[in-house]
Amino acid sequence: LRRWRRTAAIASASLGLGGYVVYNHDTAYLVAASMYRCSVAARVTWQVTWDYYRNFPNLPADDDDKCSAEERLHILAARSAVHLRSAERVRTALMKNGGVYIKLGQHIGAMQYVLPAEWCATMQPLQDQNTASSLDDVDRVIFSDFGQHIGDMFSAFDATPIGVASLAQVHRAVLRETGEEVAVKVQHPMVRTYSDIDIATVSVMFEFIHSVFPDFKFMWLSAEMKSSLPLELDFRNDKSNAERVEWNFASHADIPLAVPKMVRASERVLIMEYVSGRRCDDLAYLRQHAIDPAQVSREIGRVFAEMTYVHGFLHCDPHPGNLFVRPRNARQTTHGYNFDLVLLDHGLYRHLSPRFRYEYAEMWHALMKGDTEKIKHWSRQLSGTDLYVLFSTILTGQNWAAIEAKSLSTSTAPAHFSVGSMMKQQPDILRQITNVLSSVPPVLLLVLKTNDLLRMVDQKLFADQPPAVQQHAQLKTWMCISHYCLVAIRSARAQDIHHSVSRAGFLQTASRFGRLALNWVSFVFHDAALSLYSALLTIEDALIRWRARLSN
């Protein structure tokens, strides 16, 4: 009798579950899919945590005489193997789940000055490895948001997307009503559905790892995704951000920036002007159209320096897929270049307050001068920690010796900072990095990420150039930053001078104008020196390339 009762109970439960699935198919599918995604994340979290716990050896300090050079190399190799094995497991799990998880992998891949090289190199392919949604899914999203099918809105619609990202894909089309050629950005249908539970799962993953390894303090990454993702998932923000950037640069006719015209936007669909071109790091395409990579690099630097130090409205996802180059006839442009920089994907921006811009500019200015006392002061102001050496190396991507020697803006010798090399000398460097990143304000985290992405773009643009040209390109980047730092500091000090004089007497007015004049002269003097040095480097670059052609 007991057996029959058990059988009846199982049969009843099965029938009940079956009935629920039949009549609530969508909800049942969502629950099952969410459980699967959570299980994938939980499994890889456990695997990676266990691997590090069991197999990641401690690295003795450099001055430890008990550890021979051969033993040290063996330990480093074992640590590298754990990093690589774990990164590959995580990448596989991220690709299984897709959507938000791919976005997480892209964030990790961009942190090459923060994380071990094995993790960054393993995650970087995720920038281009995204699964496209079917045309039927695209049509359903468009109909849901606009109340019209693809055939009703467009006279032509390319079924093959011209770009597929973690959150959306882009199709080339022609508007039926106007005949205008457009690009249609359509969100993957299930991204929004899973986004909340995916972010919650990522947060739990990081908390679990932190409970096992207290020095793991990357919870800021999940917190940043939690604040940024809702903005990126509403394409109306893309439209308003793009229009604001276009307005910000409207008076800069000398900068070759192009922002596609926004036509129409809903939460999940964005229709914009179609702009031709290729990724800015496509060196074969640049050569084909006689476009100088050095000019592309310099103008990218100017665009983002303007955003950071002048406008205070910063595009925080400048990977090569979001920076296109469009060939132009230089004689037909106001800026005089034979290309336009096309800035895409305007979902992730940050407002930078005037105070932040001033402090950030002072920090960079101190770094350029190698002024240790000012570096300490402004590092403390920005990061909230006393780890000014590490903060400086993260910010610049250069080692402290180069900074301290005042050689950022003068030396042509390469002095790059890498987590891998630092870990060999300081075993606890990752703990120090996480301490810094967990202390800085959220806006600075995205600024640091933007810096890393721009450095990656520069590396790719100069990959086939002579070493001297690469080093000069780095110097020109520092000088571009120095120029805009001077602009920000001059503006902030001018504001302080204006506000410091409360009375309007003759002496007070004369003093104010004198201080303003001195502030301006100081700016002009330092900026002229930067311009002259940059011109000399450009001449030297031309000579290097000329000699290289002669030798070939």
Side-chain angles (χ1 to χ4, degrees):
L1 182 60
R2 186 178 301 171
R3 186 179 63 184
W4 285 106
R5 284 178 180 173
R6 186 169 62 247
T7 304
I10 294 172
S12 299
S14 300
L15 287 172
L17 180 61
Y20 179 82
V21 170
V22 169
Y23 290 102
N24 300 274
H25 174 269
D26 292 340
T27 304
Y29 175 79
L30 176 60
V31 170
S34 298
M35 289 177 65
Y36 171 77
R37 296 165 72 82
C38 291
S39 68
V40 170
R43 182 184 180 199
V44 75
T45 301
W46 170 251
Q47 288 177 330
V48 169
T49 303
W50 183 251
D51 201 0
Y52 272 101
Y53 182 76
R54 287 294 302 270
N55 302 316
F56 195 71
N58 290 323
L59 183 64
D62 276 345
D63 56 359
D64 189 344
D65 297 332
K66 296 179 181 179
C67 182
S68 67
E70 185 178 346
E71 289 173 332
R72 192 175 188 82
L73 288 174
H74 179 74
I75 291 172
L76 288 171
R79 289 163 68 97
S80 178
V82 175
H83 283 320
L84 183 60
R85 189 164 61 241
S86 299
E88 288 174 344
R89 283 173 174 160
V90 170
R91 184 183 63 185
T92 301
L94 298 180
M95 292 179 68
K96 278 184 181 179
N97 282 349
V100 172
Y101 289 93
I102 296 290
K103 197 77 176 175
L104 172 63
Q106 291 171 349
H107 274 289
I108 295 171
M111 294 192 293
Q112 59 176 333
Y113 293 95
V114 176
L115 293 176
E118 293 88 349
W119 277 91
C120 297
T122 302
M123 296 300 167
Q124 281 177 11
L126 292 178
Q127 294 286 357
D128 303 309
Q129 293 182 9
N130 297 287
T131 304
S133 297
S134 69
L135 190 60
D136 286 340
D137 283 339
V138 169
D139 185 54
R140 277 192 286 271
V141 172
I142 291 174
F143 182 78
S144 174
D145 279 29
F146 289 144
Q148 292 178 284
H149 290 288
I150 288 175
D152 300 325
M153 292 187 68
F154 306 100
S155 57
F157 193 94
D158 192 344
T160 303
I162 55 177
V164 182
S166 56
L167 304 182
Q169 61 195 54
V170 180
H171 292 261
R172 191 172 179 176
V174 177
L175 285 173
R176 185 173 294 280
E177 187 175 342
T178 63
E180 181 181 2
E181 189 173 20
V182 293
V184 185
K185 181 179 177 180
V186 184
Q187 195 174 112
H188 298 308
M190 299 305 291
V191 167
R192 184 182 295 274
T193 304
Y194 294 131
S195 61
D196 288 342
I197 193 168
D198 285 348
I199 292 174
T201 303
V202 169
S203 298
V204 171
M205 286 166 50
F206 284 4
E207 290 288 351
F208 174 74
I209 296 172
H210 176 59
S211 69
V212 179
F213 301 107
D215 290 339
F216 181 93
K217 297 179 181 178
F218 280 91
M219 286 74 73
W220 55 266
L221 184 55
S222 60
E224 175 54 42
M225 290 182 67
K226 188 175 182 178
S227 65
S228 298
L229 198 62
L231 299 175
E232 292 187 79
L233 289 175
D234 188 344
F235 291 170
R236 291 170 297 188
N237 291 318
D238 278 61
K239 184 175 183 292
S240 60
N241 291 341
E243 290 168 347
R244 176 169 177 177
V245 169
E246 189 174 21
W247 186 87
N248 284 346
F249 282 90
S251 60
H252 296 278
D254 59 324
I255 295 180
L257 179 67
V259 178
K261 182 186 73 175
M262 300 292 120
V263 177
R264 189 178 177 186
S266 67
E267 280 193 276
R268 298 188 297 167
V269 182
L270 176 66
I271 303 174
M272 71 195 101
E273 167 195 10
Y274 174 78
V275 180
S276 60
R278 298 285 284 275
R279 289 167 53 120
C280 66
D281 61 344
D282 189 335
L283 297 179
Y285 183 78
L286 297 185
R287 282 193 295 268
Q288 179 186 345
H289 295 276
I291 296 172
D292 184 0
Q295 289 184 342
V296 174
S297 169
R298 184 173 64 248
E299 294 311 307
I300 290 174
R302 286 182 68 199
V303 166
F304 281 87
E306 280 278 344
M307 289 180 172
T308 302
Y309 298 103
V310 181
H311 304 152
F313 190 59
L314 179 64
H315 185 299
C316 294
D317 198 17
H319 62 78
N322 288 338
L323 287 165
F324 271 37
V325 171
R326 174 175 62 181
R328 295 288 303 277
N329 185 335
R331 296 176 183 174
Q332 297 175 358
T333 65
T334 57
H335 47 68
Y337 294 99
N338 66 337
F339 64 90
D340 284 333
L341 282 176
V342 183
L343 187 60
L344 303 172
D345 194 356
H346 298 271
L348 185 57
Y349 275 77
R350 278 295 179 271
H351 295 270
L352 309 180
S353 69
R355 188 69 197 170
F356 174 87
R357 300 202 303 269
Y358 170 66
E359 292 178 354
Y360 190 62
E362 286 280 18
M363 179 67 186
W364 269 105
H365 192 51
L367 289 166
M368 297 297 174
K369 293 164 62 179
D371 188 330
T372 303
E373 289 306 312
K374 286 188 176 180
I375 290 172
K376 287 181 183 179
H377 172 76
W378 293 112
S379 175
R380 178 72 184 176
Q381 291 292 109
L382 281 169
S383 71
T385 74
D386 294 320
L387 298 171
Y388 66 92
V389 171
L390 186 58
F391 181 65
S392 300
T393 55
I394 292 173
L395 190 58
T396 62
Q398 304 292 300
N399 65 45
W400 175 248
I403 297 169
E404 195 174 30
K406 304 177 174 59
S407 63
L408 279 191
S409 58
T410 56
S411 174
T412 59
H416 296 301
F417 158 80
S418 74
V419 174
S421 61
M422 290 288 286
M423 286 181 72
K424 294 176 183 178
Q425 302 166 23
Q426 296 177 251
D428 68 337
I429 189 67
L430 199 56
R431 178 184 60 80
Q432 294 181 37
I433 290 174
T434 59
N435 283 339
V436 170
L437 296 181
S438 62
S439 302
V440 302
V443 68
L444 184 54
L445 290 172
L446 275 182
V447 172
L448 292 173
K449 174 201 167 189
T450 303
N451 283 349
D452 283 354
L453 288 170
L454 290 172
R455 278 195 284 261
M456 288 168 60
V457 169
D458 255 6
Q459 289 172 5
K460 292 178 179 179
L461 280 170
F462 291 98
D464 63 349
Q465 296 295 314
V469 174
Q470 293 182 28
Q471 292 154 18
H472 287 178
Q474 181 69 80
L475 276 178
K476 289 177 182 177
T477 298
W478 299 139
M479 285 185 284
C480 178
I481 292 173
S482 294
H483 164 76
Y484 281 97
C485 286
L486 290 172
V487 170
I489 293 169
R490 180 203 69 195
S491 299
R493 289 178 179 173
Q495 289 291 326
D496 287 344
I497 292 169
H498 279 296
H499 294 148
S500 65
V501 180
S502 57
R503 292 183 294 174
F506 174 77
L507 291 178
Q508 288 82 5
T509 302
S511 172
R512 181 178 64 185
F513 277 113
R515 290 163 65 194
L516 286 171
L518 187 62
N519 184 43
W520 178 260
V521 169
S522 175
F523 164 75
V524 170
F525 174 77
H526 287 98
D527 202 43
L530 288 174
S531 299
L532 178 61
Y533 190 36
S534 180
L536 292 174
L537 286 177
T538 301
I539 294 170
E540 190 173 348
D541 284 347
L543 290 173
I544 291 170
R545 292 193 182 98
W546 178 68
R547 289 172 187 152
R549 283 196 295 269
L550 286 180
S551 63
N552 292 334

